[in-house]
Amino acid sequence: METLRTPQERFADLPGFPYRPRHAEVGDGLRMAYVEAGPPNGRPVVLLHGEPTWSFLYRHVMRVLAAAGLRAIAVDLIGFGRSDKPAAVADHSYAAHVEWTRALLFDALELSGATLVGQDWGGLIGLRIAAEHPERVSGIVAANTGLPTGDIPMPEVWHRFKDTVLKAPVLDIARLVQAGCKSELPPEVRAAYDAPFPDERYKAGPRALPGLVPITPDDPAAPANRAAWRILTTLDRPFLVAFSDGDPITGGMAPILRESISGASGLRHPVIKDAGHFLQEDAGPELGRQIAVFVTST
């Protein structure tokens, strides 16, 4: 596997993101990056981003969690942020991303009693990890995400996004992030989303992930996701559904999660107002507040 590593100077002067990067080996010779905020002995809250962002997305959320005395851990998926980047689209698979992330959280960081927060692909990975290792997880937050099995069609807007990512000669990362926000991103924030990808060679991860979403019942990842659903529907872990009010891609999953997941019963599930798909950008402090209340009260 050919891998690329983004030069550190690309990450100079990130707005509102002063956290020192840390790294751990996760197998296949790959180094995975993460940042932390808050007291080291605080209750761990793992923040998992999606496509095509990185841990920078959670900068507003991290400040709120740290102020609440929680240990916020924001991860860069392999192929994103400061993590190593396999150079070929074929090097990425759903199962590999689940295993890489599991290895970081449980082998390298040795976390237990963690709350997993997943948005977009962060949920596709995090929900699988929670279902497959429930003894290490104390709570789950799903924010604009889901766990597709290919049994229910994806919305047309998602198919348009997938085609754009796969076919664009030049993949404009900052433009994709902006398209998922209601607020206007300042130039320095757009530059931060472009920072991990000096040129097209570094973008195999963002190009690969849309094609790994199970959209047919016979997808290779569909059986594992169905098994995860069966576990999550009866799992006795508190499960918060914190979706925005303006996500055309995953919005339809919110009522399904609230009604299907055992741990969601009896909880007050917030709707984050005036926010798009990337609700961390549009309403990060509010999302952070909702997560902090959930973690400290359950």
Side-chain angles (χ1 to χ4, degrees), residues 83-131:
S83 290
D84 285 351
K85 298 171 178 64
V89 169
D91 292 331
H92 296 263
S93 71
Y94 196 149
H97 277 280
V98 171
E99 173 55 21
W100 289 326
T101 307
R102 182 213 64 80
L104 174 69
L105 301 183
F106 302 148
D107 295 346
L109 298 181
E110 299 182 335
L111 296 179
S112 62
T115 297
L116 299 187
V117 179
Q119 184 262 340
D120 191 270
W121 257 96
L124 272 72
I125 294 169
L127 293 175
R128 278 277 298 276
I129 291 174

Side-chain angles (χ1 to χ4, degrees), residues 54-272:
W54 61 294
S55 56
F56 176 78
L57 177 70
Y58 280 104
R59 64 198 184 280
H60 303 305
V61 175
M62 292 179 70
R63 286 198 297 273
V64 176
L65 298 182
L70 302 172
R71 178 189 178 192
I73 305 166
V75 174
D76 289 342
L77 299 180
I78 291 294
F80 297 81
R82 295 184 175 102
S83 290
D84 285 351
K85 298 171 178 64
V89 169
D91 292 331
H92 296 263
S93 71
Y94 196 149
H97 277 280
V98 171
E99 173 55 21
W100 289 326
T101 307
R102 182 213 64 80
L104 174 69
L105 301 183
F106 302 148
D107 295 346
L109 298 181
E110 299 182 335
L111 296 179
S112 62
T115 297
L116 299 187
V117 179
Q119 184 262 340
D120 191 270
W121 257 96
L124 272 72
I125 294 169
L127 293 175
R128 278 277 298 276
I129 291 174
E132 294 168 7
H133 305 277
E135 73 284 356
R136 308 295 286 268
V137 175
S138 66
I140 305 164
V141 179
N144 288 0
T145 191
L147 190 62
T149 61
D151 300 306
I152 299 174
M154 296 291 285
E156 180 58 33
V157 65
W158 182 86
H159 287 283
R160 292 198 300 270
F161 168 76
K162 177 185 175 183
D163 290 343
T164 298
V165 170
L166 291 176
K167 297 176 181 178
V170 176
L171 192 59
D172 190 336
I173 299 295
R175 182 178 179 184
L176 291 176
V177 179
Q178 178 64 81
C181 298
K182 286 194 172 183
S183 55
E184 185 70 24
L185 301 182
E188 61 272 21
V189 170
R190 293 173 67 107
Y193 284 113
D194 284 329
F197 310 106
D199 59 49
E200 295 305 303
R201 295 177 302 151
Y202 290 76
K203 299 177 184 177
R207 288 192 184 275
L209 287 191
L212 300 180
V213 176
I215 60 173
T216 60
D218 59 350
D219 186 279
N225 280 15
R226 291 192 192 100
W229 267 108
R230 290 193 292 270
I231 294 169
L232 291 171
T233 53
T234 59
L235 188 65
D236 63 346
R237 300 293 187 278
F239 191 110
L240 186 71
V241 181
F243 276 47
S244 71
D245 62 354
D247 184 8
I249 298 176
T250 66
M253 281 302 304
I256 296 174
L257 292 170
R258 289 195 300 263
E259 295 163 12
S260 302
I261 304 298
S262 175
S265 178
L267 296 180
R268 175 190 169 274
H269 300 281
V271 176
I272 309 298

